[in-house]
Amino acid sequence: MNTALSWIKAYVPELECTDQEYCDRMTLTGTKVEGYERRDKNLEKIVVGQILSIEKHPDAEKLIVCQVDVGTETVQIVTGAHNVKAGDKVPVVLDGGRVAGGHDGGPLPEEGIRIKAGKLRGIPSNGMMCSIEELGSDRNMYPEAPEEGIYIFPQEVRTGDDAAAVLGLRDTVFEYEITSNRVDCYSVLGVAREAAATFRKPFVPPAVKTVGNGEDVNDYISVEVRDPELCPRYCARVCKNIKIAPSPEWMQRRLAASGIRPINNLVDITNYVMEEYGQPMHAFDLEAIAGRKIIVRRAEDGEEFQTLDGQMRKLDRDVLMICDGEKEIAIAGIMGGENSKITDRVQTVLFESAVFNGPSIRKSAKRIGLRTDSSGKFEKGLESHNAEAAINRACQLIEELGCGEVVGGMVDAAQPMPEAKELPFRPEKYNRLLGTEISEAEMLDIFRRLEIGTLEDGKGGITLKIPYFRQDLNCDADIAEEVARFYGYDRIPSTLPAGEATAGKLSYKLRIEQKARDIAEYCGFSQGMSYSFESPKVFDKLLLSEEDTLRRTVTISNPLGEDFSVMRTSVLNGMLSSLSFNYNRRNKNVRLYELENIYLPKSLPMTDLPDERMQFVLGFYGEGDFFTLKGVIEEFFTVTGMGKKPAYDPRAGKPFLHPGRQALIKYDGNEVGYLGEVHPEVLDNYEIGARAYVAVLDMPSLLPFTTFDRKYEGIAKYPAVTRDISMVAPREILAGDIEAMILQRGGKLLESCQLFDLYEGAQIRQGFKSVAYSITFRAKDRTLEDSDVNAAMKKILNGLEQMGIELRQ
């Protein structure tokens, strides 16, 4: 569903807001806005100009030189268009202005085209006259525009006026996601009602009056509905002395903004009413209706029917048809037939405004392979009252636009109209459902804005009278939802549901731990479990010094034995014991993980419970190396929403890890774990005859940095620019430090940097290494120029130079 803001403002005249404010507030009250687009995007400094004189270009046969009055001055413009003459009023983009695109009708450039004064074959040209394509539209939406050449305004347009405004382009088109239960919002009037209620402005619908001459429509047509279950209401009116002509400019502009191509006054009126009221209508040539009779019945099995698109459709008895006295003339709710279509020679028109069974139309459209705008609306289940209002609006427009003469009366083949729904006003229940304390007065004000009537029973009770167009309001929960929408979901406090039990879920901490399990298992690790009780001898096996804080343990008062006499302060012993167990049973390529607590005493002797800290430990031997483990850690960081890259400090100082192959893991300046290759002596202590690697993450340290909130961005619209640099750096400078400098100096345009080469050898001087990075830049709103990238690269190179790094020559 798309609507132009100008059309909404026609029914909410006091509405004043920005496009973004409209989008946000309508979405918060339940009319979700998917997005919006300015119709005058990239149109700047475009005015109405009048051509004063035309001369041939002295050096080009196909060019002409025009003197154009633009209201404030006369400018000279050179053009190749030959559909203009002196006196014509045309759109002119002035020097420094911008147009949406080219005249060839190809894809529009994202940023438009800037127009600058210059010379064409030696003659100065200070602007450009525009075709409709250069203004971002086409002849489908502006049928009066020439097939080739400059758009020409009517003479009554004033010179110097804003050309985009004259063409109705100073407008915004909003796209909505309407839920299927809100059939009323599949119309401009329905959306306007929501806007009026949202912004607390008066809603002013069109004043529809029943028009018609002194004749009786029953003298022209009769209607018989043979299957009232599939067609609860069929309204028909007749208009004679039809004059086919272009519809007025205001109607064409509104239809064009909604993506509907203007055709002629008769077709445009039916399309206009369909958009305005959400009620599809159809027009038949009355002369083509045999017997002046409409019969609504099911098709016969095996019947074939040619629709307006020229296709033969195979039917069965589940398809509802509109027929005359001899033949089928339309598939109900989907498309009319070739045999009753409106032509330019039409004299008398039969207007149909009906209500069809929604599921039946949906199944029929799918069965015959034809889905239209009309069937899409009928599928939702339209309301019977709307059919009469829509056909009266169409007839009113017929007379107002001088399109024809309306015959008096309306044929109405209808089932008994449903009574208006009434629901008791129960503010206490609404508040209980919502967990709020909204006053009765505020609720009643919301109902007034939504056109929900109130009836007092004289005993203090109030009954709510539901308007006919709100088919979705049927119970207390529906009414409570209306209160919540316009009170403001953002104002409703968070509360637990009332009841004997509260629905539970995993706590945030447990959800993060579950993610750790998922990542480990996804990467091929199997879960292991080890005892929380250990022997004091494990500290010697891990090469811990006598002063190491890990030796400060909680001692068990009544242990099973010395091997289970202390609470563990490290998870490494359990992991290495499990790896040893597998290695000595000749299991290859073993990968294990654990999520286990360690127990760190706050003081000794103990006066309080120890600090229990969950540890995520990974260990493996076989295929893989240090960087394999590093990749698993970074995958876990990504999945748990830790957007920054972790830093690695090789000065970890862990005695149980290889002195040159270990690192502390830091995140946002905080130490959160470590990883590395197990020290060869420790491997011997555990009888592991292969290189083994371990990583430990302290989950309480990580938890504050994790999040499940995600912000997704669209696919990049503009191309990236890549620069490769090769540098000579001292060996002691870490790759992470180089990357940090590049990220720091790269600015907002920097998208990524990637190390793709590392070399140490004879061609590099002693104590240095060669590193090469690929650096990618991209802007979200434009195509980058060399000057943008060069400025960013200069800052990066200056920063690297301060670190003692040189570009490799």
Side-chain angles (χ1 to χ4, degrees):
M1 176 70 190
N2 294 347
T3 68
L5 186 59
S6 61
W7 202 347
I8 298 296
K9 287 183 176 180
Y11 309 129
V12 192
E14 295 182 18
L15 177 62
E16 293 294 337
C17 61
T18 64
D19 294 340
Q20 189 60 52
E21 183 182 6
Y22 181 88
C23 176
D24 294 341
R25 292 186 64 178
M26 290 292 283
T27 298
L28 280 175
T29 55
T31 309
K32 184 181 178 183
V33 179
E34 286 285 288
Y36 62 87
E37 183 175 2
R38 291 285 308 178
R39 296 194 69 210
D40 59 356
K41 180 181 179 183
N42 298 327
L43 300 183
E44 298 176 6
K45 297 179 70 175
I46 302 176
V47 299
V48 177
Q50 184 170 25
I51 301 174
L52 302 178
S53 65
I54 298 177
E55 298 177 357
K56 290 185 177 181
H57 193 291
D59 296 322
E61 291 184 3
K62 295 185 178 181
L63 297 180
I64 56 175
V65 181
C66 303
Q67 303 300 322
V68 184
D69 177 10
V70 295
T72 57
E73 59 178 327
T74 299
V75 297
Q76 179 171 284
I77 297 175
V78 180
T79 180
H82 291 282
N83 69 313
V84 294
K85 63 183 185 299
D88 283 345
K89 293 184 177 180
V90 296
V92 177
V93 55
L94 303 176
D95 179 25
R98 193 162 51 156
V99 293
H103 66 277
D104 56 359
L108 301 181
E110 187 67 27
E111 298 179 0
I113 298 174
R114 185 72 65 181
I115 303 300
K116 296 182 180 179
K119 290 185 178 182
L120 288 178
R121 299 292 292 271
I123 300 297
S125 182
N126 298 310
M128 185 181 79
M129 294 182 283
C130 305
S131 67
I132 197 65
E133 288 79 14
E134 287 162 334
L135 297 174
S137 193
D138 55 47
R139 294 186 66 248
N140 286 330
M141 300 307 171
Y142 292 82
E144 74 277 12
E147 187 171 349
E148 293 183 0
I150 304 303
Y151 183 87
I152 299 175
F153 287 110
Q155 282 298 313
E156 58 266 22
V157 175
R158 292 190 306 175
T159 302
D161 281 358
D162 182 348
V166 173
L167 287 167
L169 295 173
R170 298 296 185 202
D171 203 354
T172 306
V173 177
F174 291 87
E175 179 184 358
Y176 305 88
E177 180 186 320
I178 306 298
T179 54
S180 57
N181 66 318
R182 289 302 306 273
V183 183
D184 58 304
C185 287
Y186 283 91
S187 66
V188 177
L189 285 174
V191 174
R193 280 193 185 94
E194 291 291 303
T198 297
F199 290 89
R200 297 175 180 266
K201 301 295 183 183
F203 172 62
V204 185
V208 180
K209 58 182 180 180
T210 304
V211 296
N213 59 21
E215 298 180 273
D216 186 356
V217 69
N218 293 288
D219 296 334
Y220 285 80
I221 194 72
S222 63
V223 176
E224 177 186 354
V225 178
R226 295 181 180 176
D227 198 326
E229 183 181 348
L230 297 185
C231 180
R233 189 175 195 187
Y234 191 101
C235 300
R237 297 200 68 180
V238 173
C239 300
K240 64 179 187 177
N241 301 326
I242 295 296
K243 300 178 183 66
I244 299 296
S247 55
E249 184 178 301
W250 62 267
M251 180 175 286
Q252 292 190 32
R253 300 297 180 253
R254 288 183 181 178
L255 291 175
S258 298
I260 298 175
R261 179 171 64 93
I263 297 175
N264 58 49
N265 50 5
L266 189 59
V267 175
D268 291 352
I269 285 172
T270 59
N271 286 333
Y272 185 86
V273 173
M274 180 175 71
E275 291 299 305
E276 186 178 45
Y277 278 79
Q279 172 67 46
M281 294 180 57
H282 192 70
F284 299 100
D285 185 344
L286 188 62
E287 301 301 324
I289 298 177
R292 298 294 180 92
K293 184 175 185 178
I294 292 292
I295 300 173
V296 184
R297 62 167 176 81
R298 293 174 181 263
E300 300 293 335
D301 288 332
E303 269 188 305
E304 290 189 343
F305 178 70
Q306 187 176 21
T307 48
L308 277 171
D309 57 2
Q311 299 292 315
M312 292 299 296
R313 309 287 177 177
K314 193 168 184 179
L315 312 174
D316 58 41
R317 75 174 318 274
D318 290 327
V319 178
L320 191 66
M321 300 297 295
I322 309 297
C323 309
D324 61 16
E326 298 175 357
K327 60 187 180 299
E328 301 83 5
I329 58 174
I331 302 176
I334 301 176
M335 185 175 282
E338 182 74 18
N339 55 11
S340 62
K341 69 179 181 180
I342 299 292
T343 67
D344 292 341
R345 299 184 301 275
V346 67
Q347 292 297 312
T348 308
V349 167
L350 172 68
F351 273 132
E352 165 196 285
S353 181
V355 178
F356 301 113
N357 179 273
S360 172
I361 297 299
R362 177 172 53 81
K363 292 175 183 177
S364 297
K366 188 174 182 180
R367 187 177 292 109
I368 66 176
L370 178 61
R371 195 170 188 274
T372 61
D373 289 341
S374 294
S375 67
K377 286 180 164 45
F378 280 120
E379 287 173 5
K380 309 298 187 297
L382 299 184
E383 207 281 327
S384 295
H385 290 85
N386 203 39
E388 181 177 356
I391 201 169
N392 286 335
R393 172 64 165 163
C395 290
Q396 179 188 23
L397 290 171
I398 288 286
E399 286 206 349
E400 288 181 354
L401 305 184
C403 184
E405 181 184 355
V406 180
V407 174
M410 178 183 75
V411 178
D412 188 4
Q415 295 298 299
M417 301 295 285
E419 295 288 334
K421 288 179 288 188
E422 294 184 356
L423 297 172
F425 177 51
R426 296 172 176 168
E428 300 84 2
K429 186 169 184 180
Y430 309 151
N431 278 323
R432 285 201 307 273
L433 287 170
L434 300 174
T436 56
E437 296 180 359
I438 304 171
S439 67
E440 290 188 21
E442 189 166 0
M443 290 185 187
L444 292 173
D445 179 61
I446 291 171
F447 299 151
R448 178 189 57 78
R449 287 151 51 197
L450 292 173
E451 301 183 38
I452 298 175
T454 55
L455 301 172
E456 297 185 11
D457 60 7
K459 301 178 181 179
I462 297 176
T463 299
L464 302 178
K465 189 173 183 179
I466 310 301
Y468 72 86
F469 52 82
R470 290 304 302 272
Q471 299 182 68
D472 58 309
L473 303 183
N474 298 297
C475 62
D476 290 336
D478 295 331
I479 299 298
E481 182 183 10
E482 297 302 293
V483 173
R485 287 201 300 133
F486 291 96
Y487 176 74
Y489 290 114
D490 53 330
R491 296 172 60 192
I492 297 177
S494 298
T495 57
L496 290 174
E500 297 180 0
T502 299
K505 66 176 182 179
L506 291 177
S507 66
Y508 185 82
K509 171 179 174 291
L510 293 179
R511 290 169 65 197
I512 294 295
E513 291 173 10
Q514 185 58 52
K515 284 295 179 185
R517 293 186 183 90
D518 293 343
I519 292 300
E521 292 168 7
Y522 173 79
C523 294
F525 289 75
S526 300
Q527 186 169 12
M529 298 187 71
S530 54
Y531 290 113
S532 298
F533 301 156
E534 289 183 338
S535 168
K537 297 177 182 179
V538 303
F539 304 121
D540 295 328
K541 294 175 71 175
L542 294 173
L543 308 182
L544 297 178
S545 66
E546 293 296 328
E547 296 77 28
D548 199 298
T549 56
L550 294 180
R551 289 182 177 268
R552 301 178 70 248
T553 61
V554 177
T555 304
I556 307 301
S557 301
N558 54 343
L560 297 174
E562 185 182 9
D563 289 341
F564 303 95
S565 60
V566 298
M567 301 291 289
R568 65 182 173 201
T569 55
S570 170
V571 289
L572 284 180
N573 176 65
M575 174 56 68
L576 293 174
S577 296
S578 298
L579 292 177
S580 173
F581 185 90
N582 281 274
Y583 180 82
N584 287 287
R585 281 154 184 78
R586 300 184 180 180
N587 290 331
K588 297 180 180 180
N589 301 320
V590 173
R591 295 188 175 194
L592 299 174
Y593 79 93
E594 288 189 36
L595 275 164
E596 304 290 355
N597 281 332
I598 58 173
Y599 306 87
L600 305 177
K602 298 175 183 176
S603 62
L604 289 176
M606 287 186 60
T607 57
D608 198 2
L609 293 174
D611 183 14
E612 298 186 31
R613 302 185 70 84
M614 178 63 69
Q615 308 289 288
F616 179 31
V617 56
L618 299 156
F620 77 92
Y621 65 79
E623 290 181 3
D625 56 17
F626 178 96
F627 297 102
T628 302
L629 207 53
K630 178 172 174 281
V632 178
I633 295 299
E634 292 182 354
E635 178 70 13
F636 170 69
F637 280 24
T638 300
V639 169
T640 53
M642 300 170 69
K644 297 180 182 178
K645 255 186 129 177
Y648 300 90
D649 184 354
R651 301 179 293 272
K654 303 295 183 183
F656 42 82
L657 298 179
H658 194 293
R661 300 167 190 167
Q662 59 175 285
L664 293 176
I665 305 171
K666 294 186 176 181
Y667 188 85
D668 204 18
N670 299 277
E671 182 179 332
V672 295
Y674 57 87
L675 79 161
E677 182 180 330
V678 180
H679 196 288
E681 189 175 341
V682 176
L683 292 175
D684 289 340
N685 292 340
Y686 284 91
E687 298 180 346
I688 301 174
R691 287 186 174 183
Y693 301 84
V694 293
V696 177
L697 292 176
D698 183 51
M699 299 298 279
S701 300
L702 286 172
L703 207 58
F705 304 109
T706 60
T707 179
F708 287 113
D709 294 334
R710 296 290 186 270
K711 183 179 180 181
Y712 295 97
E713 296 185 355
I715 298 173
K717 296 181 179 179
Y718 299 95
V721 177
T722 303
R723 296 286 176 87
D724 293 347
I725 56 173
S726 180
M727 303 166 285
V728 176
R731 285 189 60 187
E732 62 271 14
I733 295 181
L734 304 177
D737 296 334
I738 297 175
E739 291 182 11
M741 178 59 70
I742 294 173
L743 294 172
Q744 176 189 344
R745 293 298 187 97
K748 295 181 180 180
L749 299 179
L750 180 64
E751 184 174 79
S752 65
C753 64
Q754 185 69 40
L755 175 69
F756 68 86
D757 185 57
L758 176 64
Y759 173 76
E760 294 182 43
Q763 297 182 17
I764 303 297
R765 63 181 184 271
Q766 188 71 24
F768 285 79
K769 59 186 176 183
S770 172
V771 290
Y773 279 88
S774 179
I775 305 175
T776 303
F777 299 91
R778 193 195 306 267
K780 295 180 179 179
D781 57 348
R782 58 192 171 90
T783 299
L784 290 177
E785 299 179 357
D786 283 344
S787 58
D788 299 320
V789 179
N790 291 340
M793 286 298 300
K794 185 176 180 181
K795 292 181 181 179
I796 291 172
L797 294 175
N798 288 339
L800 295 174
E801 186 178 1
Q802 294 172 12
M803 297 173 66
I805 298 172
E806 305 170 0
L807 281 179
R808 187 174 179 185
Q809 303 299 323

